[in-house]
Amino acid sequence: MADSYALVKGGKLKIKGRKKEKKHKKHKKSKRDEEKPGGSNSADNEDTAKHGGWWEVKEFDQLIGNVAIEMGDMTYISAMDNGLFTLGDQRSEGEAPDPVEILTAIKINDTKLALKSGYGKYLSVDTDGKLIGKSEAVGSREQFEPVFQDGKLAINGCNGRFISVTKDGDIMCSSKTAGEKEMIKIRSSVDTDIDPLAGIPMEERGTLKESEIKYVKKFQSYRNNRLKISEQAIGQLMQARKEGKLHESLLDRREKMKADRYCK
């Protein structure tokens, strides 16, 4: 009986002769606007404006392109022309990081990244635990692991120590544990409105199986709503995607499937 009541649609009683009142639609924010980093009408928005449009990174997947490492309140790690790093001057409200405080984040895998300074050198950790930017290429010493936990962030260097700043302003990877002074923020200026898949046709997004189904739906006239998918192994599509020839390979499979059907 309870299940039957659940199916009854509720609503106001309609009285005969009374004019139906018009409902005013409320403007709703799109889900994308709510999920956009620093894009909601919240403290995040104010925080982004305070830092000159640079929003706080809160997960590893957001680490790409221009970033700045904030240590303390509106002070950023700054590169020097001798390959060393120090803590820059405190920025004014609404002021963005200086060019020497901007790094380029490059993902290595699902947990680690490399950082490149404005001088074109990769950051690493020397034998004394000091953060330096003198490398021409990325090796094991040029890999860093951002650790996100409970809304906080610390960066682990190749020596297994976390980044912090000394009283003298030197940037070091010296602590085995992440305490308050190892807590930092990474800020990004990447435009989140840009679709990272913009250069990939809609039909080629998703898994290879999904891509093939999209192509079949686009080109094949089928009866009884039954899709005819190629029975060839998916391996050749994997190789084609690596070579940037997925579109051609999908069309070839379609043509071969048509030819096989006519021969039967």
Side-chain angles (χ1 to χ4, degrees):
M1 181 66 73
D3 290 337
S4 298
Y5 281 115
L7 296 174
V8 178
K9 186 177 181 182
K12 292 182 180 180
L13 290 173
K14 294 181 180 179
I15 302 174
K16 190 175 181 181
R18 179 176 292 181
K19 291 183 178 179
K20 188 177 180 180
E21 294 179 2
K22 290 184 179 180
K23 292 183 179 179
H24 296 283
K25 291 184 179 179
K26 291 183 179 179
H27 177 68
K28 293 183 179 180
K29 290 181 187 177
S30 67
K31 187 176 181 181
R32 185 177 178 184
D33 286 339
E34 291 177 352
E35 294 178 350
K36 181 180 175 181
S40 60
N41 287 328
S42 63
D44 285 344
N45 210 4
E46 294 179 11
D47 180 69
T48 299
K50 179 181 176 181
H51 293 82
W54 287 65
W55 47 270
E56 182 182 353
V57 170
K58 295 186 178 179
E59 57 185 52
F60 184 80
D61 287 342
Q62 296 172 342
L63 286 167
I64 187 169
N66 287 348
V67 297
I69 300 176
E70 184 181 13
M71 306 186 81
D73 185 24
M74 300 182 71
T75 52
Y76 304 92
I77 289 178
S78 179
M80 297 188 288
D81 57 10
N82 61 358
L84 300 179
F85 289 84
T86 187
L87 197 61
D89 296 331
Q90 188 174 36
R91 299 283 144 223
S92 302
E93 189 167 323
E95 188 179 2
D98 263 5
V100 290
E101 297 167 341
I102 297 173
L103 307 169
T104 303
I106 304 161
K107 290 181 184 177
I108 303 297
N109 53 38
D110 291 338
T111 59
K112 294 184 178 180
L113 54 77
L115 295 166
K116 197 173 188 180
S117 75
Y119 292 102
K121 305 292 184 180
Y122 291 98
L123 278 61
S124 63
V125 182
D126 69 11
T127 53
D128 296 324
K130 190 171 289 187
L131 185 70
I132 58 174
K134 300 180 179 181
S135 302
E136 297 287 347
V138 177
S140 59
R141 298 196 69 84
E142 287 72 34
Q143 298 183 27
F144 296 85
E145 183 177 7
V147 180
F148 294 87
Q149 187 174 331
D150 300 328
K152 295 183 178 181
L153 169 62
I155 299 180
N156 204 358
C158 64
N159 60 352
R161 310 294 174 96
F162 290 93
I163 290 180
S164 62
V165 59
T166 67
K167 292 180 180 179
D168 297 327
D170 294 325
I171 310 301
M172 304 287 293
C173 289
S174 56
S175 177
K176 291 183 179 180
T177 58
E180 281 303 313
K181 71 174 186 176
E182 284 75 36
M183 294 298 112
I184 58 96
K185 291 180 181 178
I186 298 179
R187 296 192 173 273
S188 173
S189 65
V190 174
D191 186 356
T192 53
D193 282 334
I194 297 175
D195 182 359
L197 302 177
I200 303 175
M202 292 300 296
E203 293 84 2
E204 295 184 20
R205 301 184 188 185
T207 65
L208 290 171
K209 185 176 180 180
E210 290 170 345
S211 295
E212 186 158 25
I213 290 173
K214 288 174 187 175
Y215 266 99
V216 170
K217 286 183 176 180
K218 183 176 180 179
F219 296 109
Q220 178 180 305
S221 58
Y222 51 94
R223 297 175 182 176
N224 300 323
N225 291 325
R226 294 182 64 185
L227 294 172
K228 295 181 180 179
I229 306 296
S230 173
E231 296 178 358
Q232 290 179 276
I234 206 81
Q236 68 180 82
L237 291 182
M238 295 174 67
Q239 184 62 31
R241 172 172 275 181
K242 289 180 182 178
E243 296 174 355
K245 299 178 180 178
L246 181 58
H247 177 83
E248 296 175 37
S249 184
L250 286 168
L251 291 178
D252 288 343
R253 286 164 69 92
R254 173 176 168 268
E255 292 301 321
K256 188 177 187 305
M257 188 174 63
K258 284 171 61 179
D260 291 344
R261 189 166 70 248
Y262 290 137
C263 291
K264 289 181 180 179

